[in-house]
Amino acid sequence: MADPLPDSHPTVKRRRSQLLNHLLAYLLAAVVLVPLNFMLTPDRVWFFYPLVAWMAPLALHTAYAMGLFDRPSGA
């Protein structure tokens, strides 16, 4: 198994920055969807469907940012 890249490596910094942007977009969507749900259709709760569906890509992006999908070098 290859050693992980150091935290100061440009690839690690870029991946973390992209993940942070993805997480912020998710949180912004939640902040918009929850009030929108209760303003438009207070009798139906639907805001969690898009948020739960978004969690899978966010989890995969987190795994990618952690380097879990990187191929071992020299093996």
Side-chain angles (χ1 to χ4, degrees), residues 41-58:
T41 55
D43 54 325
R44 288 201 172 132
V45 179
W46 51 260
F47 69 87
F48 58 86
Y49 293 117
L51 295 180
V52 168
W54 198 337
M55 283 183 194
L58 189 57

Side-chain angles (χ1 to χ4, degrees), residues 10-31:
T11 300
V12 173
K13 288 182 177 185
R14 179 179 39 81
R15 287 180 180 181
R16 285 186 181 167
S17 174
Q18 291 169 344
L19 177 62
L20 180 61
N21 288 340
H22 192 171
L23 182 61
L24 290 174
Y26 176 84
L27 294 174
L28 178 65
V31 166

